[in-house]
Amino acid sequence: MENRSTCPISIALEVVGDKWSLLVIRDLLFTEKRTFSEFLASDEKISTNILTDRLVLLESEGIIRKRKDEHHRQKVIYTLTDKGLDLLPLILELGAWSGKHYKVPSWAKAHIRKLKGSGPDGLKAFRQQLRKAHQ
Amino acid sequence: MENRSTCPISIALEVVGDKWSLLVIRDLLFTEKRTFSEFLASDEKISTNILTDRLVLLESEGIIRKRKDEHHRQKVIYTLTDKGLDLLPLILELGAWSGKHYKVPSWAKAHIRKLKGSGPDGLKAFRQQLRKAHQ
């Protein structure tokens, strides 16, 4: 991919700057969803072709990895790489911003506030947990 | 706007989840650019129709405001509202993530690291400065 500029903000937007990619990352970070059909079933009703496209992009950028489920060999599951796990602070800032400026469920707001409020050590511990779950 | 779900992450992506809107916010946060033609001249070469569209969207969401320059009445300038200034932490996380995973100029990396490293008080002070400049 040739970048449109060397600005780090621009580069990040070229990779995850769309309305859908970070929703897959959200599902992987905060839910047990790991398969195509589970992502498809999320509230936002992503279409199959957009989901296919985004999974290919995220895998090619090394943000997610794809493998066969060890218990059900016909099932393909997706997990986050370390680079993908590094999107956690960004996702939290997205949620914190709209929690401040839009009407969102109070449980979601509380969840984000709690995670952000846990500070660098709390986030590190949460990331460790996630890392284990995504191995 | 009818939201596709109540998830705060999804809502934020519906507003700023595209490859261009946050570049305008970046220009407003980190440069002296305030006009249509100045945004147009940024390295990423946004097209006039996308820029027009994004400025309308950002204004309608209360993220930027538009007014006539007091010194040049024919000139229209854009500034950030408080809601727009609240995007600073998100922008820093975008930059930090690609600074970690992509090749970016070391000065840009150092700038983001310094701001993020300044902690809540440092960021608050920077935001205050910006707020004055955007009044």
Side-chain angles (χ1 to χ4, degrees), chain A residues 30-83:
Chain A
F30 299 118
T31 76
E32 306 280 304
K33 297 178 187 183
R34 297 290 181 269
T35 67
F36 190 92
S37 55
E38 285 167 345
F39 302 139
L40 205 62
S42 287
D43 285 350
E44 293 83 10
K45 308 210 184 305
I46 190 168
S47 67
T48 55
N49 61 332
I50 295 184
L51 180 55
T52 303
D53 178 83
R54 294 311 187 273
L55 290 171
V56 169
L57 171 79
L58 291 170
E59 196 190 357
S60 76
E61 291 290 330
I63 293 169
I64 60 174
R65 68 172 88 78
K66 181 167 129 175
R67 66 153 181 269
K68 294 210 165 114
D69 189 317
E70 54 194 46
H71 306 296
H72 307 85
R73 300 288 301 170
Q74 73 280 36
K75 202 164 118 181
V76 172
I77 64 164
Y78 295 89
T79 54
L80 289 163
T81 62
D82 282 343
K83 182 176 172 182

Side-chain angles (χ1 to χ4, degrees), chain A residues 4-10 17-19 26 44 61 83 86-87 89-91 93 97-98 100-102 105, chain B residues 4-10 17 19-20 26 44 61 83 86 89-91 93 97-98 100-102 105:
Chain A
R4 55 189 176 175
S5 79
T6 62
C7 168
I9 293 150
S10 174
D18 69 85
K19 301 206 178 334
R26 170 206 63 185
E44 293 83 10
E61 291 290 330
K83 182 176 172 182
D86 284 341
L87 288 166
L90 174 65
I91 294 262
E93 291 301 341
W97 182 76
S98 53
K100 186 168 173 188
H101 295 288
Y102 295 88
Chain B
R4 55 190 175 174
S5 79
T6 62
C7 167
I9 293 150
S10 173
K19 300 204 178 338
W20 300 102
R26 170 205 63 185
E44 293 83 11
E61 290 290 332
K83 182 176 172 183
D86 284 341
L90 173 65
I91 294 264
E93 292 301 341
W97 181 76
S98 52
K100 186 167 174 188
H101 296 287
Y102 295 87

Side-chain angles (χ1 to χ4, degrees), chain B residues 23-72:
Chain B
L23 291 186
V24 175
I25 308 299
R26 170 205 63 185
D27 283 349
L28 287 165
L29 285 170
F30 299 119
T31 76
E32 305 280 304
K33 296 178 187 183
R34 298 291 180 270
T35 67
F36 189 93
S37 55
E38 285 167 345
F39 302 139
L40 205 61
S42 287
D43 284 351
E44 293 83 11
K45 307 210 184 307
I46 190 168
S47 67
T48 54
N49 61 330
I50 295 183
L51 179 55
T52 303
D53 179 83
R54 294 312 186 274
L55 289 172
V56 169
L57 171 79
L58 291 170
E59 196 190 356
S60 76
E61 290 290 332
I63 292 169
I64 60 174
R65 69 172 88 78
K66 183 167 126 175
R67 66 154 181 269
K68 295 211 166 115
D69 188 314
E70 54 194 47
H71 305 297
H72 307 86

